[in-house]
Amino acid sequence: MKSYLPARFKVERDETRCIMCLACVSQCSYETHYLDEEEGKVMSRDERCVNCHRCVVFCPTRAITIHKNPLEYRDNYNWRAENIEDVIRQAESGGMLLTGMGNDKPYRIYWDHMVLNASQVTNPSIDPLREPMELRTYIGAKPDRLEVDPAIQVVKTKLPPQVPIELPVMFSAMSYGAISLTACETLARAATEMGTLYNTGEGGLHRKLYKYGKNTIVQVASGRFGVHSEYLDAGAMVEIKIGQGAKPGIGGHLPGEKVSAEVSMTRMIPTGTDALSPAPQHDIYSIEDLSQLIFALKEATNYTKPVGVKIAAVHNAAAIASGMVRAGADYIVLDGIRGATGAAPKIIRDNVGIPIEVALAAVDTRLRQEGIRQRASVVIAGGIRNSGDVTKAIALGADAVYIGTAALVAMGCCVCQHCHTGKCPWGIATTDPRLQKRINPEIVSERLANLLRGWSHEIKDMLGGMGINAVESLRGNRLHLRAVGLTETEMKVLGVEQAGA
Amino acid sequence: MSSLSSVVKVDALGLHYRQLNARLRELVGQGARHIEIQNVYGQRYIGTDLDAPVLIDIYGTPGNDLGAFMDGPSIVVHGNAQDGCGNTMNEGQIVVHGHAGDILGLSMRGGKIFVKEDVGYRVGIHMKEYKEKVPQVVIGGTAQDFLGEYMAGGILVVLGLGLKPGAGHRANFIGTGMHGGMILLRGDVAPHQLGKEVGVAQPNDAEKAKLADLVTEFARQFGMDPVPILSGAPFTKLYPLYLRPYGRLYTP
């Protein structure tokens, strides 16, 4: 069928700069660039370009620029280019539209409508460069009360398992299969270096990565891929995945093309078969069933590690979260509507779920009202872009955040949203052995560690400015947030006052 | 505890599953290789965290998730098992001298389960296999709906021994979403009872040989004669029509 789709981007090559080194040709896994031998020139097939910037960065003479295709449709607020082109794509294929990364639609980003406080005159701010500042966070259930033996001043209460992280930022679940082994190892190395945790997603744990176990969260999802006792024993925490912000309510599948020999070994399924993750976990149809799986995993790990539960943030997240905590989760994860993915139906990614800020506020409020907030750590995910978002999330009630896209951007990702093709030219969202070599974990993990170092300094600076010297003093401290440009209802849900009021 | 080579007895009366399983861990850690548990009243997760080739005889009714994530032990239930028996089991064996409940063998990757009588809904759901790890489940009686749902590997045998003459299996949606493995059914099943992803065939010689082995093993577990089972009603093989059932669902 002839395609009616126009090119999305236009590749512009400055011929006065091009030295015909063909770096762009070898770097582009979409085969956009090619050498036209007759013309003696490097040319581009614009329709293949996804604007990932790989060629732009690797062109030694900076000869390449990529623009949006200036081709215009007649102005129509309702029928914009994306709407028209999505219809064309489906008319030509008859399938669901797949996409990668997080929701790109202009839903309100509440982080951008909340501002933080700082000390002025009436209480002094703290200079984190000179004074100790505590970012360490313990993930795990806290006891309802602590009994201390006054004679010997020792805590008598037996504490549930706690896992310390040196800053309240962890790496989101990204499975081996959705991302490359080298990308997984990069996350593992950076987590180890910075004293935080990365998450296996539901892709199992490759043998090469067992040594990073102390900094690993092992996930148990509906497909149960690669889940066995050694895997459960390997991680610092175990996470039951119920849902994901990018695709609430649906399962997933790793297409057979991506199930290479190595992926097959890690997921423990035959090479080339579809790895299907059913929409529900079929042993969980209720909170009681969830509790059963939580305790099955606690039994399987002899109560030595926190067991958490991750859900997508949905309309009644607060009530569900209450159930999750009561079911025995040591930590809960909420993944908002902007949460990213290696592949999801576009229609789900763009339309299902709620923003993480309101979900977090609602859940934290509900757990406090019920007097059970201490029984589980609250971790949020889905659209955290910088340390400002992290700090606001903690003030809204989170113990820690997961970052996925931000971590990948540190590794080279330009958010081109083509993860689902498996051709990631940055070597991240691919299982192609040739492409994944583009990431050297030793070198790239340094970029990732640097990002966390930078955020760590910034969070300390913001805390110090508020006159706070420990991150846990900010947790749920919504008086340090004020709203700008929100409605009264939104402020009520967020539990945040109008700025200046 | 003079000789752990002999049978170690545990009385589960009044014990919470956490206490019972802690006791089992302790015994296995001390080298016990044959444990007999009396008075089991619904305690969950028995066999879950015992990564050793221990034999456990259970008298009474074990609770849900019997042998969940199990990696090696061999369990004999002298009674009925509940839901989630063999959940995500990796290796080992479970023999049930009675009925078992729903989602038996969910996501099971290895080992064997033999149930003398009937089982509940969604049995064998998302069983999978990997290289030499091929989970095998034999049900003596019949099963409820969604037998072998999403099945991705392994062998599921249903013998229909309790069916009245002329009566077939009652389960609907058998093999819905199946994309690997094989179901071998003895007794009548109508096309409308099968999921649309399932094909029907007669087992070939290699499959018949495998079936004979499994039925013989089943019969030995329960003191039955395998010959009439194998020579009676013919077996139907159900297999996945597509190994990539969702491959054509998406726009590239």
Side-chain angles (χ1 to χ4, degrees):
Chain A
M1 195 185 286
K2 175 179 168 51
S3 178
Y4 295 170
L5 277 178
R8 282 211 182 145
F9 300 100
K10 241 176 124 58
V11 181
E12 189 186 292
R13 180 174 287 97
D14 183 342
E15 288 187 15
T16 62
R17 289 188 173 197
C18 179
I19 52 169
M20 304 268 291
C21 69
L22 305 186
C24 55
V25 177
S26 63
Q27 289 297 323
C28 184
S29 48
Y30 293 95
E31 297 175 2
T32 303
H33 310 288
Y34 65 99
L35 173 66
D36 189 321
E37 307 231 5
E38 277 180 26
E39 295 275 330
K41 283 204 293 196
V42 184
M43 311 280 278
S44 301
R45 304 177 186 96
D46 288 349
E47 69 281 4
R48 298 199 177 190
C49 177
V50 300
N51 198 8
C52 72
H53 288 200
R54 182 77 188 180
C55 59
V56 174
V57 171
F58 280 78
C59 174
T61 58
R62 300 269 164 180
I64 301 174
T65 312
I66 296 166
H67 298 282
K68 267 193 224 168
N69 187 347
L71 174 74
E72 288 186 357
Y73 296 87
R74 189 182 176 108
D75 280 344
N76 186 323
Y77 185 76
N78 200 32
W79 284 99
R80 278 165 283 180
E82 182 181 356
N83 305 111
I84 294 172
E85 288 170 11
D86 281 355
V87 168
I88 297 174
R89 286 166 70 200
Q90 291 191 291
E92 292 175 1
S93 70
M96 289 200 272
L97 297 171
L98 272 187
T99 188
M101 301 316 290
N103 193 320
D104 59 2
K105 298 296 173 287
Y107 293 103
R108 172 160 282 175
I109 297 174
Y110 287 94
W111 305 130
D112 297 341
H113 291 266
M114 288 186 282
V115 287
L116 289 162
N117 195 25
S119 305
Q120 299 293 300
V121 184
T122 52
N123 64 341
S125 47
I126 301 170
D127 180 355
L129 294 177
R130 290 194 299 109
E131 297 184 54
M133 195 62 82
E134 181 74 55
L135 292 191
R136 180 183 285 182
T137 301
Y138 289 88
I139 305 291
K142 308 297 181 287
D144 293 342
R145 64 174 54 170
L146 267 188
E147 274 186 63
V148 180
D149 186 333
I152 47 171
Q153 303 224 326
V154 165
V155 176
K156 287 200 301 188
T157 311
K158 193 170 178 296
L159 288 178
Q162 306 289 324
V163 173
I165 48 175
E166 297 304 326
L167 79 167
V169 180
M170 307 186 285
F171 300 131
S172 283
M174 289 177 268
S175 69
Y176 171 40
I179 62 170
S180 61
L181 184 58
T182 50
C184 291
E185 191 177 357
T186 302
L187 292 163
R189 288 183 78 116
T192 305
E193 185 176 344
M194 297 305 294
T196 185
L197 300 163
Y198 85 106
N199 188 315
T200 61
E202 67 165 317
L205 188 61
H206 193 278
R207 283 281 147 206
K208 237 180 130 177
L209 303 181
Y210 269 75
K211 62 181 177 204
Y212 303 106
K214 274 198 306 199
N215 296 85
T216 306
I217 299 170
V218 293
Q219 208 177 49
V220 174
S222 66
R224 304 283 160 87
F225 296 113
V227 176
H228 46 83
S229 53
E230 204 186 347
Y231 168 79
L232 297 173
D233 288 340
M237 313 203 284
V238 181
E239 183 171 297
I240 299 170
K241 178 197 173 184
I242 302 291
Q244 184 178 342
K247 39 181 166 179
I250 65 165
H253 90 266
L254 188 70
E257 295 87 16
K258 285 197 191 176
V259 183
S260 62
E262 292 272 296
V263 170
S264 144
M265 187 176 80
T266 308
R267 294 207 177 203
M268 303 181 84
I269 50 168
T271 309
T273 57
D274 283 358
L276 301 187
S277 296
Q281 305 224 9
H282 279 285
D283 46 359
I284 306 177
Y285 289 0
S286 67
I287 293 292
E288 291 73 18
D289 289 350
L290 174 65
S291 184
Q292 182 170 299
L293 182 61
I294 290 172
F295 281 90
L297 292 166
K298 288 187 181 186
E299 279 289 336
T301 52
N302 199 10
Y303 301 88
T304 55
K305 333 173 177 256
V307 175
V309 181
K310 175 180 178 178
I311 58 163
V314 290
H315 302 341
N316 48 354
I320 298 165
S322 164
M324 285 151 65
V325 175
R326 290 174 192 280
D330 296 299
Y331 74 98
I332 63 171
V333 186
L334 309 165
D335 192 8
I337 193 171
R338 293 189 299 274
T341 175
K346 186 167 182 273
I347 206 74
I348 305 270
R349 185 198 73 171
D350 290 353
N351 295 286
V352 183
I354 64 173
I356 192 58
E357 302 91 325
V358 287
L360 167 60
V363 165
D364 181 68
T365 301
R366 178 67 170 261
L367 297 181
R368 282 174 195 279
Q369 281 167 351
E370 296 187 1
I372 54 172
R373 175 64 183 83
Q374 75 286 354
R375 283 202 213 159
S377 298
V378 174
V379 180
I380 63 147
I384 298 287
R385 303 156 298 175
N386 53 46
S387 63
D389 293 351
V390 177
T391 310
K392 290 170 188 176
I394 291 181
L396 260 189
D399 288 82
V401 307
Y402 269 135
I403 57 167
T405 303
L408 299 190
V409 170
M411 292 160 67
C413 166
C414 287
V415 199
C416 75
Q417 308 193 31
H418 275 65
C419 323
H420 59 291
T421 64
K423 291 182 183 167
C424 178
W426 291 93
I428 300 168
T430 180
T431 55
D432 181 325
R434 193 177 54 92
L435 291 173
Q436 69 172 6
K437 281 202 190 121
R438 293 183 178 187
I439 289 188
N440 177 332
E442 203 175 322
I443 296 167
V444 180
S445 63
E446 210 35 49
R447 303 177 84 94
L448 206 43
N450 276 339
L451 176 75
L452 294 188
R453 273 187 206 106
W455 285 18
S456 179
H457 288 308
E458 289 173 346
I459 295 169
K460 286 178 180 174
D461 248 4
M462 283 181 271
L463 285 178
M466 285 182 268
I468 292 173
N469 65 3
V471 73
E472 65 176 19
S473 304
L474 180 65
R475 191 179 310 132
N477 194 341
R478 299 189 199 172
L479 288 173
H480 280 294
L481 291 170
R482 286 288 189 275
V484 178
L486 296 179
T487 65
E488 253 178 67
T489 313
E490 287 170 318
M491 290 192 287
K492 195 172 154 217
V493 170
L494 290 167
V496 172
E497 298 278 324
Q498 167 65 37
Chain B
M1 201 109 13
S2 54
S3 168
L4 285 166
S5 57
S6 60
V7 184
V8 183
K9 295 199 180 191
V10 174
D11 187 352
L13 191 68
L15 289 187
H16 186 263
Y17 67 73
R18 206 168 155 173
Q19 296 167 300
L20 174 59
N21 291 328
R23 177 84 182 116
L24 296 180
R25 261 185 218 108
E26 184 191 1
L27 288 171
V28 171
Q30 288 164 353
R33 287 299 171 260
H34 187 178
I35 300 171
E36 194 179 293
I37 317 175
Q38 299 285 352
N39 296 315
V40 176
Y41 286 99
Q43 283 93 342
R44 292 176 174 178
Y45 317 120
I46 296 174
T48 283
D49 191 30
L50 307 174
D51 309 337
V54 57
L55 171 64
I56 302 172
D57 274 293
I58 295 175
Y59 291 90
T61 307
N64 292 352
D65 276 349
L66 172 70
F69 305 104
M70 191 164 85
D71 201 16
S74 193
I75 293 178
V76 181
V77 182
H78 302 272
N80 298 320
Q82 306 300 305
D83 296 342
C85 179
N87 185 349
T88 323
M89 177 170 155
N90 200 48
E91 198 57 74
Q93 178 169 294
I94 300 177
V95 178
V96 182
H97 287 259
H99 300 286
D102 299 343
I103 58 164
L104 177 124
L106 169 110
S107 278
M108 182 181 171
R109 187 187 302 109
K112 291 178 184 173
I113 301 180
F114 298 97
V115 180
K116 189 177 180 191
E117 294 174 36
D118 300 335
V119 291
Y121 293 82
R122 295 197 148 96
V123 163
I125 180 170
H126 213 187
M127 269 167 64
K128 39 181 86 73
E129 64 184 59
Y130 176 66
K131 291 190 175 167
E132 73 285 355
K133 283 200 171 307
V134 180
Q136 293 157 38
V137 174
V138 185
I139 312 296
T142 187
Q144 299 285 0
D145 295 353
F146 292 103
L147 175 72
E149 189 182 16
Y150 290 119
M151 195 166 157
I155 305 171
L156 191 47
V157 182
V158 183
L159 300 176
L161 295 176
L163 294 175
K164 294 199 176 96
H169 293 279
R170 303 280 293 274
N172 285 315
F173 309 108
I174 297 172
T176 296
M178 185 174 180
H179 55 289
M182 166 171 73
I183 302 175
L184 293 162
L185 269 180
R186 183 176 169 277
D188 292 338
V189 64
H192 74 264
Q193 291 174 271
L194 306 180
K196 62 181 187 304
E197 297 85 357
V198 172
V200 182
Q202 296 307 310
N204 63 28
D205 288 347
E207 288 157 356
K208 277 184 186 155
K210 179 76 213 166
L211 176 66
D213 287 350
L214 277 173
V215 169
T216 305
E217 203 175 339
F218 171 89
R220 185 166 47 79
Q221 296 290 353
F222 301 113
M224 297 166 154
D225 181 2
V227 177
I229 303 176
L230 286 165
S231 60
F235 281 84
T236 306
K237 179 177 92 167
L238 306 179
Y239 65 96
L241 290 173
Y242 316 106
L243 299 179
R244 302 276 319 273
Y246 296 87
R248 295 153 299 161
L249 209 57
Y250 301 108
T251 299

